[in-house]
Amino acid sequence: MRVTLRCGEGFDTHSDENLLTAAQRAHWLVRFGCRNGNCGACEATLLAGVIRGRDAVIDAAADPQPFLLCLARALSDLRIDLPADPLHGSVDLARRVY
């Protein structure tokens, strides 16, 4: 499935991985802390699409919905707004090069 960011760029995700892992695999710099839903550092906004969170399925059809990347798995193609990154939102600077 494809995850498109507000800026128009994006990354692919597999049905068996959470969105934080998918973003990092695609070299996006995303804030995170605990990786299990306790810290809230990876909160993003679901603008379009359907995800499975820890306890429920979330559909952004009605309103944009906040969710945690570390707990979410895509059930459809998505459009999301990533949390503010420490590099002032530049897409080019936000890509991590290993």
Side-chain angles (χ1 to χ4, degrees), residues 81-98:
D81 189 13
L82 284 175
D85 79 56
L87 299 174
H88 310 293
S90 166
V91 173
D92 292 330
L93 292 176
R95 287 194 183 254
R96 181 179 288 163
V97 178
Y98 293 100

Side-chain angles (χ1 to χ4, degrees), residues 1-84:
M1 285 161 273
R2 185 76 179 158
V3 179
T4 304
L5 307 176
R6 185 181 286 262
C7 66
E9 294 200 40
F11 55 91
D12 293 322
T13 184
H14 304 294
S15 61
D16 63 343
E17 71 182 340
N18 65 55
L19 295 177
L20 177 60
T21 300
Q24 291 175 328
R25 182 176 44 77
H27 307 294
W28 283 93
L29 178 61
V30 179
R31 290 183 186 180
F32 70 95
C34 66
R35 291 188 165 279
N36 63 14
N38 289 322
C39 72
C42 66
E43 184 175 89
T45 302
L46 181 62
L47 303 173
V50 182
I51 60 170
R52 175 170 299 284
R54 177 185 294 180
D55 300 321
V57 172
I58 301 170
D59 187 344
D63 288 316
Q65 298 287 320
F67 71 99
L68 298 177
L69 291 168
C70 68
L71 298 179
R73 297 182 191 282
L75 297 178
S76 70
D77 288 343
L78 306 174
R79 186 162 176 256
I80 67 171
D81 189 13
L82 284 175

